[in-house]
Amino acid sequence: MSNELLYSGKAKDVFTTADPNVLKMVYKDQATALNGKRKEQIAGKGLVNYRISKLIFQYLMANGVETHLIENVSETEQLVKKVAIVPLEVVLRNAVAGSFARKFGQEPGKRLATPIIECYYKNDALDDPAINISQATALEIMTPAEIEVIEAQTKKINDLLINLFNHINIDLIDFKLEFGRYDGRLILADEFSPDNCRLWDQDTHESLDKDVFRLNKGDLVSVYDVVLQRLAKILGGSADV
Ligand code: TMP
């Protein structure tokens, strides 16, 4: 059956298509914080995130990163490969911020000597608890070989994105990725938008990401639009919101 709602997430809905191996992902005008406990409708958010994620996924794919993206069908809608999502949120940190700053009593913005990769078990009922490699392998969420692939892919994506954002005067502080199994391989899935990363302007150090919503620091769509306009300038694509 085609066009059936398969999954309704915090920021996207996922529908079936006529092809059993293809899904349709629709970006929503919804922002959440505190693992969904705070929820708001924000007109234009779906469109700006769709456009940012599209540009970033296309850039990554052009640089040899395999992703689930097949094609962009209309504003806010993408066709993606149907992957089996690995229930891990993979976080990479280049600098101190957010939960890491709170947990270790560190100054936000401090550069880390080496990037850190952390994993969280995707489970809303448990509030996405931190999970380490031996826990993830013992629970058979991942094999050690798969963890190596995910770490290598995450570091490669970090290098590519640091370079990209440097060109538009933005520091990539941290980000979260999700991977899926497809045809025996692990490929990048979900999205990459200011909802799931921290982007700081290199001159003003102001947040250009979801921290403006989390901390009530400004209008989310106009801040995300700054990122879109800068990306569109170097990557091309439609930048109207
Ligand atoms: P944290 O500092 O709150 O742990 O977040 C680290 C990065 O991961 C930050 O860029 C936001 C992103 N993230 C998500 O995309 N989803 C989540 O559920 C969480 C907790 C973080």
Side-chain angles (χ1 to χ4, degrees):
M1 279 279 260
S2 167
N3 222 25
E4 271 187 85
L5 181 64
L6 201 62
Y7 170 76
S8 184
K10 296 185 192 104
K12 294 184 296 298
D13 286 334
V14 179
F15 295 87
T16 58
T17 68
D19 184 336
N21 295 315
V22 176
L23 297 175
K24 186 175 74 179
M25 214 164 71
V26 182
Y27 288 73
K28 301 201 279 197
D29 280 347
Q30 180 168 283
T32 64
L34 307 170
N35 210 14
K37 288 177 203 85
R38 180 178 159 214
K39 200 181 277 185
E40 273 177 40
Q41 297 308 306
I42 301 181
K45 173 175 181 283
L47 181 56
V48 73
N49 266 3
Y50 159 87
R51 287 185 171 163
I52 292 171
S53 192
K54 174 176 118 179
L55 286 177
I56 291 185
F57 267 55
Q58 286 173 338
Y59 163 78
L60 292 174
M61 289 161 80
N63 285 283
V65 175
E66 196 181 1
T67 84
H68 70 163
L69 180 62
I70 301 171
E71 61 175 319
N72 303 287
V73 273
S74 74
E75 292 300 18
T76 78
E77 296 184 342
Q78 293 177 325
L79 293 182
V80 297
K81 292 171 185 161
K82 184 176 182 181
V83 300
I85 284 283
V86 173
L88 291 180
E89 299 202 334
V90 182
V91 169
L92 185 143
R93 300 179 192 275
N94 291 308
V96 170
S99 68
F100 188 88
R102 293 191 292 276
K103 187 170 174 186
F104 295 105
Q106 298 286 311
E107 191 59 34
K110 182 181 158 189
R111 291 271 128 202
L112 294 160
T114 54
I116 294 171
I117 295 180
E118 299 170 357
C119 290
Y120 296 85
Y121 179 44
K122 261 172 79 74
N123 185 314
D124 282 341
L126 298 175
D127 258 347
D128 299 343
I131 187 164
N132 65 30
I133 291 176
S134 52
Q135 289 165 335
T137 47
L139 291 174
E140 298 182 316
I141 294 169
M142 302 285 294
T143 65
E146 285 179 319
I147 287 188
E148 270 183 37
V149 171
I150 281 191
E151 286 191 341
Q153 282 293 300
T154 302
K155 284 180 189 161
K156 175 176 179 176
I157 290 166
N158 186 43
D159 290 343
L160 288 168
L161 292 181
I162 285 177
N163 189 25
L164 174 68
F165 284 115
N166 257 331
H167 278 89
I168 52 173
N169 209 38
I170 289 175
D171 272 334
L172 178 62
I173 302 295
D174 57 29
F175 59 86
K176 183 265 296 181
L177 303 176
E178 295 188 24
F179 292 87
R181 294 187 179 90
Y182 182 82
D183 213 7
R185 303 187 300 282
L186 280 165
I187 66 175
L188 182 65
D190 196 45
E191 67 176 85
F192 194 102
S193 76
D195 268 7
N196 37 54
C197 62
R198 288 195 174 89
L199 303 172
W200 292 5
D201 183 277
Q202 286 180 346
D203 296 328
T204 65
H205 305 297
E206 275 173 13
S207 295
L208 302 172
D209 57 61
K210 200 161 113 179
D211 274 348
V212 296
F213 173 76
R214 293 188 189 96
L215 308 171
N216 296 307
K217 286 199 294 192
D219 174 58
L220 178 143
V221 172
S222 44
V223 167
Y224 285 23
D225 191 40
V226 171
V227 178
L228 175 60
Q229 300 302 331
R230 291 192 200 177
L231 282 173
K233 222 177 247 174
I234 55 165
L235 295 177
S238 175
D240 301 328
V241 174

